[in-house]
Amino acid sequence: MSEAGRPPDRQATAGPVIRRGDQIDGRTTDQRLLEGGHSWMHDDPWRVLRIQAEFVEGFGALDELGPAISMFGSARAGRGTPEYAQAEYMARELVSRGLAVITGGGPGIMEAANRGAHEAGGCSVGLGIELPFEQTMNRYVNLGVNFRYFFARKVMFLKYAQGFIAMPGGFGTLDELFEALTLIQTRKVMDFPVVLFGSGYWRGLVDWLRTSVTGSGCINPEDVDIFHVTDDPDEAVRIVTRAGAGPD
């Protein structure tokens, strides 16, 4: 088959739009928003409508979700790793307690959590995001919403979850984790349990918060107690499913 007749092997999504091959722009909607330019007076007011539409779509899809836990973690954790198995197990346990499981809908830890929830017969939610590199919704998501804007997606993670489990992960995981911790610290939300799973992975961060950040007066000592650290999957599930759960 000639190159012209061969189906494109690359795909990118932007909200409901799918682009393949030479139709891929290479820039994300977030990039276009933040880059600005001389046409901002004409473009940005119209972007508000697109942003509004993302919120409406997300609220509409998740409004009847019921109690849920958001699970975060690396997209790079492969099948067969301990982290993958632990995320899958915890998601199964959450479903057995009547909870839905929310992830970013991608591979790695996200896939593991969605897989556990789906195979346990629960609601497996994926909140996808437009990225400059291909990342499709994993096949274990049974309720998925794709977002153009990170900030709209983050609202959905927070609004529809009653707790967080943060597995080892990168900048995205840290971003979502600290968003939740900030809301608790500033009392924008109450009784919102957060678990950092994997003490070896999180130890350096926790020590830095207790020494450098607390020691410099940037946070109060009690602020470091608004999350829990554990290596026990059953303990993590107990913490986030405890009625009215708050920091110990």
Side-chain angles (χ1 to χ4, degrees), residues 167-198:
M167 303 282 290
F171 286 150
T173 299
L174 294 172
D175 177 42
E176 291 142 358
L177 169 64
F178 277 100
E179 181 78 16
L181 296 179
T182 299
L183 291 174
I184 298 169
Q185 183 207 39
T186 56
R187 306 197 178 200
K188 292 289 188 179
V189 296
M190 304 295 290
D191 296 329
F192 192 88
V194 178
V195 172
L196 307 187
F197 187 86

PDB file of all heavy atoms in Angstrom, residues 167-198:
ATOM      1  N   MET A 167      -0.454   7.272  44.432  1.00  0.00           N
ATOM      2  CA  MET A 167       0.592   6.282  44.235  1.00  0.00           C
ATOM      3  C   MET A 167       1.855   6.997  43.738  1.00  0.00           C
ATOM      4  O   MET A 167       1.798   8.179  43.378  1.00  0.00           O
ATOM      5  CB  MET A 167       0.137   5.256  43.204  1.00  0.00           C
ATOM      6  CG  MET A 167      -1.158   4.532  43.539  1.00  0.00           C
ATOM      7  SD  MET A 167      -0.945   3.238  44.756  1.00  0.00           S
ATOM      8  CE  MET A 167      -0.027   2.010  43.828  1.00  0.00           C
ATOM      9  N   PRO A 168       2.999   6.333  43.699  1.00  0.00           N
ATOM     10  CA  PRO A 168       4.193   6.959  43.134  1.00  0.00           C
ATOM     11  C   PRO A 168       3.925   7.488  41.724  1.00  0.00           C
ATOM     12  O   PRO A 168       3.348   6.798  40.880  1.00  0.00           O
ATOM     13  CB  PRO A 168       5.213   5.810  43.124  1.00  0.00           C
ATOM     14  CG  PRO A 168       4.801   4.953  44.274  1.00  0.00           C
ATOM     15  CD  PRO A 168       3.308   4.995  44.265  1.00  0.00           C
ATOM     16  N   GLY A 169       4.323   8.733  41.492  1.00  0.00           N
ATOM     17  CA  GLY A 169       4.077   9.351  40.197  1.00  0.00           C
ATOM     18  C   GLY A 169       4.922  10.589  39.999  1.00  0.00           C
ATOM     19  O   GLY A 169       5.709  10.969  40.881  1.00  0.00           O
ATOM     20  N   GLY A 170       4.737  11.233  38.878  1.00  0.00           N
ATOM     21  CA  GLY A 170       5.551  12.375  38.501  1.00  0.00           C
ATOM     22  C   GLY A 170       4.873  13.712  38.756  1.00  0.00           C
ATOM     23  O   GLY A 170       4.079  13.865  39.687  1.00  0.00           O
ATOM     24  N   PHE A 171       5.165  14.689  37.885  1.00  0.00           N
ATOM     25  CA  PHE A 171       4.662  16.041  38.083  1.00  0.00           C
ATOM     26  C   PHE A 171       3.136  16.088  38.127  1.00  0.00           C
ATOM     27  O   PHE A 171       2.551  16.850  38.895  1.00  0.00           O
ATOM     28  CB  PHE A 171       5.168  16.958  36.974  1.00  0.00           C
ATOM     29  CG  PHE A 171       6.623  17.327  37.103  1.00  0.00           C
ATOM     30  CD1 PHE A 171       7.381  17.598  35.973  1.00  0.00           C
ATOM     31  CD2 PHE A 171       7.239  17.416  38.337  1.00  0.00           C
ATOM     32  CE1 PHE A 171       8.723  17.939  36.076  1.00  0.00           C
ATOM     33  CE2 PHE A 171       8.571  17.744  38.466  1.00  0.00           C
ATOM     34  CZ  PHE A 171       9.318  18.011  37.323  1.00  0.00           C
ATOM     35  N   GLY A 172       2.476  15.298  37.267  1.00  0.00           N
ATOM     36  CA  GLY A 172       1.019  15.308  37.257  1.00  0.00           C
ATOM     37  C   GLY A 172       0.444  14.842  38.579  1.00  0.00           C
ATOM     38  O   GLY A 172      -0.489  15.453  39.115  1.00  0.00           O
ATOM     39  N   THR A 173       1.012  13.775  39.119  1.00  0.00           N
ATOM     40  CA  THR A 173       0.568  13.266  40.416  1.00  0.00           C
ATOM     41  C   THR A 173       0.805  14.299  41.510  1.00  0.00           C
ATOM     42  O   THR A 173      -0.055  14.538  42.366  1.00  0.00           O
ATOM     43  CB  THR A 173       1.311  11.962  40.759  1.00  0.00           C
ATOM     44  OG1 THR A 173       1.008  10.988  39.757  1.00  0.00           O
ATOM     45  CG2 THR A 173       0.904  11.418  42.119  1.00  0.00           C
ATOM     46  N   LEU A 174       1.971  14.932  41.493  1.00  0.00           N
ATOM     47  CA  LEU A 174       2.281  15.945  42.504  1.00  0.00           C
ATOM     48  C   LEU A 174       1.356  17.142  42.392  1.00  0.00           C
ATOM     49  O   LEU A 174       0.908  17.711  43.400  1.00  0.00           O
ATOM     50  CB  LEU A 174       3.740  16.391  42.360  1.00  0.00           C
ATOM     51  CG  LEU A 174       4.798  15.333  42.669  1.00  0.00           C
ATOM     52  CD1 LEU A 174       6.187  15.842  42.294  1.00  0.00           C
ATOM     53  CD2 LEU A 174       4.766  14.932  44.135  1.00  0.00           C
ATOM     54  N   ASP A 175       1.041  17.541  41.172  1.00  0.00           N
ATOM     55  CA  ASP A 175       0.130  18.662  40.949  1.00  0.00           C
ATOM     56  C   ASP A 175      -1.231  18.371  41.567  1.00  0.00           C
ATOM     57  O   ASP A 175      -1.790  19.198  42.317  1.00  0.00           O
ATOM     58  CB  ASP A 175       0.009  18.908  39.445  1.00  0.00           C
ATOM     59  CG  ASP A 175      -0.969  20.018  39.105  1.00  0.00           C
ATOM     60  OD1 ASP A 175      -0.963  21.053  39.799  1.00  0.00           O
ATOM     61  OD2 ASP A 175      -1.743  19.852  38.139  1.00  0.00           O
ATOM     62  N   GLU A 176      -1.771  17.201  41.281  1.00  0.00           N
ATOM     63  CA  GLU A 176      -3.085  16.837  41.802  1.00  0.00           C
ATOM     64  C   GLU A 176      -3.047  16.662  43.321  1.00  0.00           C
ATOM     65  O   GLU A 176      -3.987  17.065  44.031  1.00  0.00           O
ATOM     66  CB  GLU A 176      -3.558  15.563  41.106  1.00  0.00           C
ATOM     67  CG  GLU A 176      -3.889  15.815  39.638  1.00  0.00           C
ATOM     68  CD  GLU A 176      -3.497  14.685  38.699  1.00  0.00           C
ATOM     69  OE1 GLU A 176      -2.914  13.672  39.181  1.00  0.00           O
ATOM     70  OE2 GLU A 176      -3.746  14.807  37.491  1.00  0.00           O
ATOM     71  N   LEU A 177      -1.966  16.089  43.828  1.00  0.00           N
ATOM     72  CA  LEU A 177      -1.829  15.902  45.266  1.00  0.00           C
ATOM     73  C   LEU A 177      -1.822  17.231  45.999  1.00  0.00           C
ATOM     74  O   LEU A 177      -2.568  17.435  46.972  1.00  0.00           O
ATOM     75  CB  LEU A 177      -0.543  15.126  45.566  1.00  0.00           C
ATOM     76  CG  LEU A 177      -0.107  15.077  47.032  1.00  0.00           C
ATOM     77  CD1 LEU A 177      -1.127  14.347  47.882  1.00  0.00           C
ATOM     78  CD2 LEU A 177       1.276  14.431  47.149  1.00  0.00           C
ATOM     79  N   PHE A 178      -0.991  18.162  45.541  1.00  0.00           N
ATOM     80  CA  PHE A 178      -0.875  19.437  46.258  1.00  0.00           C
ATOM     81  C   PHE A 178      -2.110  20.313  46.082  1.00  0.00           C
ATOM     82  O   PHE A 178      -2.406  21.151  46.940  1.00  0.00           O
ATOM     83  CB  PHE A 178       0.402  20.170  45.840  1.00  0.00           C
ATOM     84  CG  PHE A 178       1.609  19.685  46.597  1.00  0.00           C
ATOM     85  CD1 PHE A 178       2.496  18.792  46.023  1.00  0.00           C
ATOM     86  CD2 PHE A 178       1.838  20.099  47.898  1.00  0.00           C
ATOM     87  CE1 PHE A 178       3.591  18.327  46.724  1.00  0.00           C
ATOM     88  CE2 PHE A 178       2.932  19.640  48.616  1.00  0.00           C
ATOM     89  CZ  PHE A 178       3.813  18.745  48.023  1.00  0.00           C
ATOM     90  N   GLU A 179      -2.838  20.130  45.008  1.00  0.00           N
ATOM     91  CA  GLU A 179      -4.118  20.826  44.880  1.00  0.00           C
ATOM     92  C   GLU A 179      -5.058  20.389  46.003  1.00  0.00           C
ATOM     93  O   GLU A 179      -5.695  21.217  46.660  1.00  0.00           O
ATOM     94  CB  GLU A 179      -4.748  20.516  43.521  1.00  0.00           C
ATOM     95  CG  GLU A 179      -6.072  21.207  43.279  1.00  0.00           C
ATOM     96  CD  GLU A 179      -5.935  22.672  42.908  1.00  0.00           C
ATOM     97  OE1 GLU A 179      -4.811  23.080  42.537  1.00  0.00           O
ATOM     98  OE2 GLU A 179      -6.936  23.402  42.988  1.00  0.00           O
ATOM     99  N   ALA A 180      -5.130  19.078  46.237  1.00  0.00           N
ATOM    100  CA  ALA A 180      -5.987  18.562  47.306  1.00  0.00           C
ATOM    101  C   ALA A 180      -5.504  19.035  48.677  1.00  0.00           C
ATOM    102  O   ALA A 180      -6.309  19.469  49.518  1.00  0.00           O
ATOM    103  CB  ALA A 180      -6.011  17.035  47.260  1.00  0.00           C
ATOM    104  N   LEU A 181      -4.195  18.964  48.922  1.00  0.00           N
ATOM    105  CA  LEU A 181      -3.662  19.383  50.220  1.00  0.00           C
ATOM    106  C   LEU A 181      -3.896  20.865  50.469  1.00  0.00           C
ATOM    107  O   LEU A 181      -4.179  21.280  51.597  1.00  0.00           O
ATOM    108  CB  LEU A 181      -2.166  19.067  50.299  1.00  0.00           C
ATOM    109  CG  LEU A 181      -1.780  17.579  50.252  1.00  0.00           C
ATOM    110  CD1 LEU A 181      -0.269  17.416  50.310  1.00  0.00           C
ATOM    111  CD2 LEU A 181      -2.454  16.799  51.375  1.00  0.00           C
ATOM    112  N   THR A 182      -3.794  21.678  49.426  1.00  0.00           N
ATOM    113  CA  THR A 182      -4.039  23.108  49.570  1.00  0.00           C
ATOM    114  C   THR A 182      -5.490  23.375  49.960  1.00  0.00           C
ATOM    115  O   THR A 182      -5.777  24.231  50.818  1.00  0.00           O
ATOM    116  CB  THR A 182      -3.707  23.847  48.263  1.00  0.00           C
ATOM    117  OG1 THR A 182      -2.330  23.651  47.950  1.00  0.00           O
ATOM    118  CG2 THR A 182      -3.974  25.342  48.382  1.00  0.00           C
ATOM    119  N   LEU A 183      -6.419  22.656  49.347  1.00  0.00           N
ATOM    120  CA  LEU A 183      -7.832  22.840  49.680  1.00  0.00           C
ATOM    121  C   LEU A 183      -8.122  22.455  51.126  1.00  0.00           C
ATOM    122  O   LEU A 183      -8.927  23.103  51.807  1.00  0.00           O
ATOM    123  CB  LEU A 183      -8.704  22.028  48.729  1.00  0.00           C
ATOM    124  CG  LEU A 183      -8.755  22.509  47.276  1.00  0.00           C
ATOM    125  CD1 LEU A 183      -9.540  21.534  46.418  1.00  0.00           C
ATOM    126  CD2 LEU A 183      -9.369  23.902  47.185  1.00  0.00           C
ATOM    127  N   ILE A 184      -7.452  21.402  51.607  1.00  0.00           N
ATOM    128  CA  ILE A 184      -7.645  21.002  52.999  1.00  0.00           C
ATOM    129  C   ILE A 184      -7.012  22.026  53.941  1.00  0.00           C
ATOM    130  O   ILE A 184      -7.623  22.451  54.932  1.00  0.00           O
ATOM    131  CB  ILE A 184      -7.046  19.609  53.248  1.00  0.00           C
ATOM    132  CG1 ILE A 184      -7.744  18.563  52.375  1.00  0.00           C
ATOM    133  CG2 ILE A 184      -7.146  19.227  54.718  1.00  0.00           C
ATOM    134  CD1 ILE A 184      -7.047  17.222  52.353  1.00  0.00           C
ATOM    135  N   GLN A 185      -5.793  22.428  53.641  1.00  0.00           N
ATOM    136  CA  GLN A 185      -5.085  23.380  54.506  1.00  0.00           C
ATOM    137  C   GLN A 185      -5.843  24.697  54.627  1.00  0.00           C
ATOM    138  O   GLN A 185      -5.919  25.290  55.697  1.00  0.00           O
ATOM    139  CB  GLN A 185      -3.685  23.635  53.964  1.00  0.00           C
ATOM    140  CG  GLN A 185      -2.843  24.551  54.849  1.00  0.00           C
ATOM    141  CD  GLN A 185      -1.789  25.293  54.051  1.00  0.00           C
ATOM    142  OE1 GLN A 185      -2.032  25.722  52.932  1.00  0.00           O
ATOM    143  NE2 GLN A 185      -0.610  25.437  54.635  1.00  0.00           N
ATOM    144  N   THR A 186      -6.412  25.161  53.525  1.00  0.00           N
ATOM    145  CA  THR A 186      -7.138  26.435  53.526  1.00  0.00           C
ATOM    146  C   THR A 186      -8.611  26.265  53.896  1.00  0.00           C
ATOM    147  O   THR A 186      -9.370  27.222  53.869  1.00  0.00           O
ATOM    148  CB  THR A 186      -7.049  27.092  52.138  1.00  0.00           C
ATOM    149  OG1 THR A 186      -7.544  26.189  51.138  1.00  0.00           O
ATOM    150  CG2 THR A 186      -5.601  27.454  51.809  1.00  0.00           C
ATOM    151  N   ARG A 187      -8.999  25.052  54.241  1.00  0.00           N
ATOM    152  CA  ARG A 187     -10.352  24.718  54.681  1.00  0.00           C
ATOM    153  C   ARG A 187     -11.416  25.005  53.629  1.00  0.00           C
ATOM    154  O   ARG A 187     -12.555  25.319  53.945  1.00  0.00           O
ATOM    155  CB  ARG A 187     -10.681  25.438  55.995  1.00  0.00           C
ATOM    156  CG  ARG A 187      -9.630  25.147  57.050  1.00  0.00           C
ATOM    157  CD  ARG A 187     -10.084  25.472  58.437  1.00  0.00           C
ATOM    158  NE  ARG A 187      -9.026  25.126  59.377  1.00  0.00           N
ATOM    159  CZ  ARG A 187      -9.223  24.919  60.667  1.00  0.00           C
ATOM    160  NH1 ARG A 187     -10.429  25.008  61.164  1.00  0.00           N
ATOM    161  NH2 ARG A 187      -8.220  24.617  61.459  1.00  0.00           N
ATOM    162  N   LYS A 188     -11.019  24.859  52.383  1.00  0.00           N
ATOM    163  CA  LYS A 188     -11.999  24.913  51.303  1.00  0.00           C
ATOM    164  C   LYS A 188     -12.808  23.623  51.265  1.00  0.00           C
ATOM    165  O   LYS A 188     -13.934  23.601  50.776  1.00  0.00           O
ATOM    166  CB  LYS A 188     -11.299  25.125  49.959  1.00  0.00           C
ATOM    167  CG  LYS A 188     -10.653  26.494  49.805  1.00  0.00           C
ATOM    168  CD  LYS A 188     -11.694  27.583  49.660  1.00  0.00           C
ATOM    169  CE  LYS A 188     -11.057  28.917  49.320  1.00  0.00           C
ATOM    170  NZ  LYS A 188     -12.072  29.985  49.164  1.00  0.00           N
ATOM    171  N   VAL A 189     -12.209  22.513  51.721  1.00  0.00           N
ATOM    172  CA  VAL A 189     -12.916  21.248  51.891  1.00  0.00           C
ATOM    173  C   VAL A 189     -12.600  20.725  53.277  1.00  0.00           C
ATOM    174  O   VAL A 189     -11.557  21.037  53.856  1.00  0.00           O
ATOM    175  CB  VAL A 189     -12.505  20.205  50.822  1.00  0.00           C
ATOM    176  CG1 VAL A 189     -12.896  20.670  49.437  1.00  0.00           C
ATOM    177  CG2 VAL A 189     -11.022  19.901  50.890  1.00  0.00           C
ATOM    178  N   MET A 190     -13.499  19.936  53.809  1.00  0.00           N
ATOM    179  CA  MET A 190     -13.325  19.393  55.149  1.00  0.00           C
ATOM    180  C   MET A 190     -13.415  17.871  55.096  1.00  0.00           C
ATOM    181  O   MET A 190     -14.080  17.300  54.230  1.00  0.00           O
ATOM    182  CB  MET A 190     -14.410  19.932  56.089  1.00  0.00           C
ATOM    183  CG  MET A 190     -14.464  21.461  56.152  1.00  0.00           C
ATOM    184  SD  MET A 190     -12.984  22.206  56.872  1.00  0.00           S
ATOM    185  CE  MET A 190     -13.164  21.719  58.581  1.00  0.00           C
ATOM    186  N   ASP A 191     -12.751  17.213  56.061  1.00  0.00           N
ATOM    187  CA  ASP A 191     -12.847  15.753  56.198  1.00  0.00           C
ATOM    188  C   ASP A 191     -12.575  15.038  54.883  1.00  0.00           C
ATOM    189  O   ASP A 191     -13.376  14.228  54.403  1.00  0.00           O
ATOM    190  CB  ASP A 191     -14.235  15.368  56.729  1.00  0.00           C
ATOM    191  CG  ASP A 191     -14.478  15.909  58.122  1.00  0.00           C
ATOM    192  OD1 ASP A 191     -13.503  16.041  58.879  1.00  0.00           O
ATOM    193  OD2 ASP A 191     -15.630  16.208  58.453  1.00  0.00           O
ATOM    194  N   PHE A 192     -11.462  15.342  54.300  1.00  0.00           N
ATOM    195  CA  PHE A 192     -11.115  14.828  52.979  1.00  0.00           C
ATOM    196  C   PHE A 192      -9.826  14.028  53.108  1.00  0.00           C
ATOM    197  O   PHE A 192      -8.744  14.605  53.142  1.00  0.00           O
ATOM    198  CB  PHE A 192     -10.915  16.034  52.055  1.00  0.00           C
ATOM    199  CG  PHE A 192     -10.841  15.693  50.593  1.00  0.00           C
ATOM    200  CD1 PHE A 192     -11.985  15.616  49.835  1.00  0.00           C
ATOM    201  CD2 PHE A 192      -9.620  15.476  49.977  1.00  0.00           C
ATOM    202  CE1 PHE A 192     -11.920  15.343  48.480  1.00  0.00           C
ATOM    203  CE2 PHE A 192      -9.540  15.188  48.625  1.00  0.00           C
ATOM    204  CZ  PHE A 192     -10.701  15.114  47.878  1.00  0.00           C
ATOM    205  N   PRO A 193      -9.902  12.685  53.239  1.00  0.00           N
ATOM    206  CA  PRO A 193      -8.694  11.898  53.492  1.00  0.00           C
ATOM    207  C   PRO A 193      -7.792  11.799  52.264  1.00  0.00           C
ATOM    208  O   PRO A 193      -8.258  11.583  51.145  1.00  0.00           O
ATOM    209  CB  PRO A 193      -9.231  10.530  53.887  1.00  0.00           C
ATOM    210  CG  PRO A 193     -10.579  10.460  53.241  1.00  0.00           C
ATOM    211  CD  PRO A 193     -11.119  11.860  53.228  1.00  0.00           C
ATOM    212  N   VAL A 194      -6.496  11.932  52.498  1.00  0.00           N
ATOM    213  CA  VAL A 194      -5.487  11.804  51.450  1.00  0.00           C
ATOM    214  C   VAL A 194      -4.453  10.783  51.907  1.00  0.00           C
ATOM    215  O   VAL A 194      -3.889  10.909  52.999  1.00  0.00           O
ATOM    216  CB  VAL A 194      -4.792  13.152  51.166  1.00  0.00           C
ATOM    217  CG1 VAL A 194      -3.698  12.969  50.105  1.00  0.00           C
ATOM    218  CG2 VAL A 194      -5.799  14.194  50.711  1.00  0.00           C
ATOM    219  N   VAL A 195      -4.204   9.790  51.071  1.00  0.00           N
ATOM    220  CA  VAL A 195      -3.230   8.745  51.381  1.00  0.00           C
ATOM    221  C   VAL A 195      -2.084   8.814  50.378  1.00  0.00           C
ATOM    222  O   VAL A 195      -2.313   8.854  49.165  1.00  0.00           O
ATOM    223  CB  VAL A 195      -3.875   7.343  51.334  1.00  0.00           C
ATOM    224  CG1 VAL A 195      -2.807   6.259  51.453  1.00  0.00           C
ATOM    225  CG2 VAL A 195      -4.908   7.192  52.440  1.00  0.00           C
ATOM    226  N   LEU A 196      -0.854   8.830  50.892  1.00  0.00           N
ATOM    227  CA  LEU A 196       0.331   8.672  50.057  1.00  0.00           C
ATOM    228  C   LEU A 196       0.759   7.218  50.184  1.00  0.00           C
ATOM    229  O   LEU A 196       1.178   6.776  51.261  1.00  0.00           O
ATOM    230  CB  LEU A 196       1.464   9.595  50.514  1.00  0.00           C
ATOM    231  CG  LEU A 196       1.139  11.083  50.662  1.00  0.00           C
ATOM    232  CD1 LEU A 196       2.413  11.864  50.956  1.00  0.00           C
ATOM    233  CD2 LEU A 196       0.452  11.623  49.436  1.00  0.00           C
ATOM    234  N   PHE A 197       0.631   6.482  49.104  1.00  0.00           N
ATOM    235  CA  PHE A 197       0.925   5.046  49.165  1.00  0.00           C
ATOM    236  C   PHE A 197       2.355   4.790  48.699  1.00  0.00           C
ATOM    237  O   PHE A 197       2.745   5.175  47.595  1.00  0.00           O
ATOM    238  CB  PHE A 197      -0.055   4.264  48.288  1.00  0.00           C
ATOM    239  CG  PHE A 197       0.091   2.781  48.443  1.00  0.00           C
ATOM    240  CD1 PHE A 197      -0.578   2.110  49.450  1.00  0.00           C
ATOM    241  CD2 PHE A 197       0.928   2.061  47.604  1.00  0.00           C
ATOM    242  CE1 PHE A 197      -0.423   0.745  49.621  1.00  0.00           C
ATOM    243  CE2 PHE A 197       1.091   0.695  47.763  1.00  0.00           C
ATOM    244  CZ  PHE A 197       0.423   0.039  48.778  1.00  0.00           C
ATOM    245  N   GLY A 198       3.130   4.115  49.560  1.00  0.00           N
ATOM    246  CA  GLY A 198       4.520   3.806  49.243  1.00  0.00           C
ATOM    247  C   GLY A 198       5.465   4.696  50.020  1.00  0.00           C
ATOM    248  O   GLY A 198       5.961   5.696  49.505  1.00  0.00           O
TER     249      GLY A 198
END
